[in-house]
Amino acid sequence: MVKEATIWSLLEEVNDPEVPVLSILDLGIVRDVKREGSRVEVIITPTYSGCPAMDVLRMNIRMLLLQHGYTEVVITTVLSPAWTTDWMSEKGKEKLQAYGIAPPLPVQQVCHPGLFHREEAIQCPRCHSYHTQRISEFGSTACKALYRCEDCKEPFDYFKCH
Amino acid sequence: MSYSTRVDYTLHLADNALILGHRNSEWTGHGPILEQDIALSNIALDLIGQARNFYQYAARLINTEREAKSGSGMRSAAGQGAKGAAGQGMSDAASEGMRAAEHEVSEDSLAYLRDGWDFKNCLLAEQANGDWARTILRQFFISAYQYLLYTTLRDSRDTELAAIAEKSLKEVSYHLRWSSEWVIRLGDGTPESSSRLQKALDDLWKFTGELFLPASYERELAKEGIAADLSLLKEQWETRVREVFAEAQLFVPGGAEAREGGRETRGVGSGEDGKSAGGREGGVNSEGKGGRETRGVGSGEDGKRAGKGAIPGTDRATWMQMGGKEGRHTEHLGYVLAEMQFLQRAYPGCEW
């Protein structure tokens, strides 16, 4: 008999294909794991509605569990409550920073549609300066914004609060 | 609650998101600068993701209903003679979806195998991209609408729709801010950007009325607390548009003319600070006209527009087009579908 905790620890091995330093547990997208007999159900929630990584993630979760002998795997997607960067682990934030992506601010800010809204300063993941500028709030993936550091002059990605 | 009504409404929400998302994706690789190309592609991705959630739900509704009907069909066949499994009360879209996929309806069959008259998106979503100004303005109108719509739908009695709305709203907030800022940037920018945006506004305004005119399925579901009551969203939408247009120094077509039946356009046209004033309520005055002409935006056309608007009953500027929600579309949708559906029509079931 396997415990749910075993499955949780296996899921730690599934990484986000677009931000490979983060596991799906770091991201906070695994909401629950249920086991009944030989049946394993993994409940996940997408980061963004159109995130193309989700299909790959679902497949990778299934493959991993199959490899470990779980033949009856159900992956359920739930939308509510909607994913938030608040669910990202502290360890995940450290990994992002080391990888060169500024992690979401510790104080959760949700995008509100106010005009020319100014956000809190984002720290450059390379030189740690706060003298940075947002170039675009849409970046290389749905979850990131484009920034530039005015001190070291390097562009960088910011994993935006959501 | 009728089953087909809920399918129609879900498809309407899905089609709006898909068609606008597809339109935006036409910009991918063609944006004016890399960052904005990426921004619009991201917005397209969000919208198509939202559409997928709605289509998946619609497909579940259709399949569940079919299953139930074929079950009861068999039972009734045993009792009182054969009766078609796909009974009346099935919406056009649903039965179309059934024809499209022999066995199971899926998000893909709903997106790729329905015909133009099955699509229930608003006409605004399918309008051609035109230039950057036109694309931005279309996005702004729809984002402002979706923002309010999804805010309301979060409390829908249909928990599935409420969940999709809750998810989508976070994304739409970005779209609204981004498109609002671009409307201001272009409108209050150079004479060239301003005139292009004003031209886009003159062309697109007539498609905005439909957003707030409920189709029969919206009216029915609003009564049951499932769909949003569009009449409640309209005023808030106008407030947002007015606020942004005042900053952008934009004028709504026919906005200067305070006439019966033109309430909505007049409301938007008269900026609160008077900046966008082509005359406040009460109609065209010399100051209003002057204000338009000094903007140097094709003053000849401006003059024409004002003149046209001044004749009651012949005001083409404030005439609102509609029909998309019921499957009556402009010619643009056909071209969108021809491109978007080509692969699945030519090679059914193709995957890669």
Side-chain angles (χ1 to χ4, degrees), chain B residues 155-173:
Chain B
D155 300 320
S156 169
R157 283 181 50 210
D158 182 316
T159 52
E160 199 70 34
L161 290 179
I164 301 172
E166 178 192 343
K167 181 82 200 155
S168 306
L169 181 63
K170 295 180 87 169
E171 292 149 10
V172 167
S173 306

Side-chain angles (χ1 to χ4, degrees), chain B residues 190-252:
Chain B
T190 65
E192 174 76 9
S193 69
S194 164
S195 73
R196 283 181 181 236
L197 191 59
Q198 184 64 51
K199 174 78 173 67
L201 176 55
D202 292 348
D203 291 345
L204 293 180
W205 183 250
K206 59 179 164 293
F207 298 108
T208 57
E210 188 191 16
L211 299 173
F212 304 99
L213 286 167
S216 57
Y217 48 84
E218 287 174 296
R219 219 174 293 125
E220 196 180 317
L221 292 181
K223 271 186 239 153
E224 298 175 42
I226 292 172
D229 182 344
L230 298 179
S231 62
L232 300 178
L233 306 185
K234 191 173 177 186
E235 206 173 306
Q236 297 174 65
W237 184 85
E238 285 174 5
T239 304
R240 175 72 182 202
V241 169
R242 195 187 299 130
E243 181 190 313
V244 169
F245 280 9
E247 290 287 329
Q249 310 208 26
L250 276 179
F251 307 98
V252 163

Side-chain angles (χ1 to χ4, degrees), chain A residues 4-18:
Chain A
E4 278 157 13
T6 319
I7 294 166
W8 278 102
S9 65
L10 282 176
L11 293 176
E12 185 71 57
E13 292 174 31
V14 180
N15 290 336
D16 180 340
E18 286 179 350

Side-chain angles (χ1 to χ4, degrees), chain A residues 48-56 58 79, chain B residues 10 13-15 17-18 44-60 106-108 110-112 164 168:
Chain A
Y48 285 74
S49 298
C51 179
M54 291 308 290
D55 289 331
V56 180
R58 265 188 285 269
L79 292 177
Chain B
T10 307
L13 297 170
D15 292 343
L18 179 68
L45 189 65
D46 286 340
L47 287 166
I48 292 169
Q50 292 160 14
R52 285 190 64 185
N53 288 331
F54 285 123
Y55 283 128
Q56 285 166 8
Y57 178 47
R60 274 207 304 284
S106 68
E107 52 173 326
D108 287 334
L110 291 172
Y112 294 130
I164 301 172
S168 306

Side-chain angles (χ1 to χ4, degrees), chain B residues 25-42:
Chain B
S25 78
E26 292 173 6
W27 273 101
T28 303
H30 303 278
I33 52 168
L34 184 61
E35 287 79 3
Q36 299 311 325
D37 188 304
I38 292 171
L40 200 49
S41 299
N42 263 289

Side-chain angles (χ1 to χ4, degrees), chain A residues 29-46:
Chain A
I29 64 170
V30 179
R31 305 314 300 153
D32 205 358
V33 173
K34 290 178 186 165
R35 206 184 53 76
E36 285 170 44
S38 59
R39 181 179 183 274
V40 176
E41 183 181 12
V42 181
I43 298 163
I44 56 173
T45 191

Side-chain angles (χ1 to χ4, degrees), chain A residues 45-52 55 58 79-84 108 110-117 119 134-143 146 160-162, chain B residues 35-36 38-40 42-43 45-46 48-50 52-53 147 159-160 162-164 166-168 170-171 173-178 180-182 184-185 240 243-244 247:
Chain A
T45 191
T47 51
Y48 285 74
S49 298
C51 179
D55 289 331
R58 265 188 285 269
L79 292 177
S80 179
W83 176 81
T84 157
Q108 179 68 8
V110 180
C111 174
H112 74 85
L115 295 174
F116 301 101
H117 174 71
E119 284 179 349
R134 189 178 72 201
I135 299 168
S136 171
E137 57 198 344
F138 297 95
S140 56
T141 64
C143 51
L146 285 176
K160 62 195 177 198
C161 282
H162 193 71
Chain B
E35 287 79 3
Q36 299 311 325
I38 292 171
L40 200 49
N42 263 289
I43 293 172
L45 189 65
D46 286 340
I48 292 169
Q50 292 160 14
R52 285 190 64 185
N53 288 331
Y147 181 78
T159 52
E160 199 70 34
I164 301 172
E166 178 192 343
K167 181 82 200 155
S168 306
K170 295 180 87 169
E171 292 149 10
S173 306
Y174 281 103
H175 308 172
L176 176 56
R177 189 164 78 190
W178 178 84
S180 301
E181 289 174 3
W182 265 105
I184 294 168
R185 200 171 285 128
R240 175 72 182 202
E243 181 190 313
V244 169
E247 290 287 329

